Amino acid sequence: MMKFPIINRLFPSYKWKVAAVIIGGVIVGGGALFMYMLRAHTYLGDDPAACVNCHIMTPYYATWFHSSHARNATCNDCHVPHENAVKKWTFKGMDGMKHVAAFLTKSEPQVIQAHEASSEVIMDNCIRCHTQLNTEFVKTGKIDYMMSQVGEGKACWDCHRDVPHGGKNSLSATPGAIVPLPESPVPEWLRKMVNQKDK
């Protein structure tokens, strides 16, 4: 049998070890339940409906859904980098944590605007998808976001302001927006039990 001196030093008796396993299980299980209730697993895919897990994204989902981009592009196609998987998931995680922090502290603005890093990613993705348009048809050339910031060209949205979200949006600007409501994370057996108690 293997000996682990650090574990024996931290938890000298059998009772301490059992208590540590129980407490660890409660913490891991509670954390997993918390992440499930937050629908964290939905953010691992590319389904745009995951964005409306947070109600403040309703106008952005609704305006995207009714735009031409809805046919060919998901939220991740525009809002996360595509150079490599590490950059994509790092950016997605960091950006997601900023959104969670804003939501938990109730500091989300009425109208959401892309910050500097996000603006750079969005413009890079505009260029990535519309390279043929920029280089063959219109011949505007390929500039990046930083070049537009120092006056060496314009950002894509300087001309295409209403693509794909229809300009500035807020919850009050699109009050009747129909969006897919997220499914309840409460298991059906528990919902039935609660409904029976209410009767």
Side-chain angles (χ1 to χ4, degrees):
M1 190 161 112
M2 293 179 67
K3 301 227 176 198
F4 299 100
I6 293 175
I7 292 175
N8 289 333
R9 219 177 287 141
L10 290 172
F11 310 108
S13 71
Y14 179 76
K15 288 181 183 177
W16 276 90
K17 288 180 178 99
V18 169
V21 167
I22 291 171
I23 291 169
V26 167
I27 290 171
V28 169
L33 178 63
F34 179 72
M35 296 304 281
Y36 175 74
M37 296 297 275
L38 284 176
R39 296 178 183 81
H41 58 284
T42 63
Y43 296 105
L44 298 176
D46 282 334
D47 184 4
C51 294
V52 290
N53 285 342
C54 179
H55 75 284
I56 199 161
M57 297 307 291
T58 298
Y60 303 95
Y61 178 90
T63 52
W64 162 83
F65 186 78
H66 295 289
S67 77
S68 60
H69 278 72
R71 290 190 301 269
N72 302 310
T74 66
C75 303
N76 286 334
D77 288 328
C78 298
H79 292 278
V80 293
H82 291 275
E83 289 87 353
N84 60 59
V86 172
K87 192 169 182 180
K88 174 182 179 176
W89 288 101
T90 302
F91 185 88
K92 194 171 181 178
M94 299 285 286
D95 212 41
M97 292 312 294
K98 285 179 190 169
H99 294 179
V100 168
F103 183 73
L104 291 176
T105 58
K106 298 192 182 304
S107 61
E108 63 268 3
Q110 180 65 216
V111 177
I112 297 174
Q113 290 184 316
H115 53 79
E116 191 89 7
S118 188
S119 293
E120 189 170 351
V121 167
I122 293 166
M123 187 155 163
D124 286 347
N125 285 326
C126 291
I127 293 165
R128 179 178 60 84
C129 285
H130 299 288
T131 298
Q132 185 179 19
L133 174 69
N134 288 339
T135 56
E136 291 179 28
F137 301 136
V138 182
K139 299 201 187 303
T140 57
K142 183 178 175 184
I143 67 164
D144 63 18
Y145 179 70
M146 288 305 160
M147 291 169 71
S148 74
Q149 291 301 97
V150 294
E152 294 180 22
K154 291 185 175 191
C156 300
W157 47 86
D158 288 339
C159 297
H160 304 280
R161 185 155 305 281
D162 293 341
V163 177
H165 294 293
K168 301 270 188 214
N169 295 297
S170 67
L171 287 174
S172 57
T174 51
I178 298 173
V179 297
L181 295 174
E183 288 184 35
S184 173
V186 179
E188 192 171 332
W189 63 268
L190 184 57
R191 273 185 276 160
K192 286 180 181 176
M193 191 168 68
V194 169
N195 288 339
Q196 286 175 351
K197 284 185 178 182
D198 291 342
K199 291 179 182 178

